Amino acid sequence: MAKKDRTADAARDDDREKWMARFQLRLAMQPGVDRAVVLQAVKEVTVHCAETGEQPQAAFGVPDTYAVEVAARLVPADRAARARRQNAAVDALDSVLKKARDITGM
C-alpha cells in the first residue's frame, strides 16, 4: 500500500508542478504583468494550497483562465492598456518588416 501512496503523491506533485508552470507562463504573457505580479500570484496560490490541501486545478480551475483573472486583479488598468498599445505597435512593425523581407527576398 505504501508504494501505491507514494505513486499517487508523485502524480499529484507532478500535476501541481505542471499547473503552476502553465499558470506562471500564461500570467507572464498578460499585458502589464511583471516579475513582482508573478511572484505575488504564485505565493497566493502556494499559500492557499498549503493551507487547504487542495490542488491548484481544483481550487482555481484552468491555469490559463486564472492567469487572466489574476492579471486583471493585480495589474493596474492603465499599465495593462499601455502594454497592450506597445504590443500592438511591435506587432505592426513586425508585420511591416516581414512584408519588406518578402518583397526584397531576404
Side-chain angles (χ1 to χ4, degrees), residues 9-90:
D9 288 344
R12 278 193 298 274
D13 290 345
D14 190 44
D15 288 346
R16 181 178 28 252
E17 288 176 16
K18 287 179 182 177
W19 191 96
M20 289 296 286
R22 184 163 183 107
F23 171 64
Q24 290 176 60
L25 175 66
R26 294 300 185 184
L27 182 57
M29 294 171 61
Q30 297 303 308
V33 170
D34 60 9
R35 185 173 187 268
V37 170
V38 173
L39 291 175
Q40 180 180 350
V42 167
K43 182 179 179 182
E44 288 174 3
V45 170
T46 303
V47 167
H48 175 83
C49 291
E51 288 176 350
T52 64
E54 287 181 287
Q55 290 292 316
Q57 180 75 30
F60 303 103
V62 178
D64 298 4
T65 305
Y66 190 61
V68 172
E69 294 170 11
V70 168
R73 180 171 50 88
L74 297 180
V75 176
D78 61 329
R79 187 167 85 190
R82 186 171 46 254
R84 276 192 287 277
R85 285 192 304 273
Q86 288 172 342
N87 290 345
V90 169

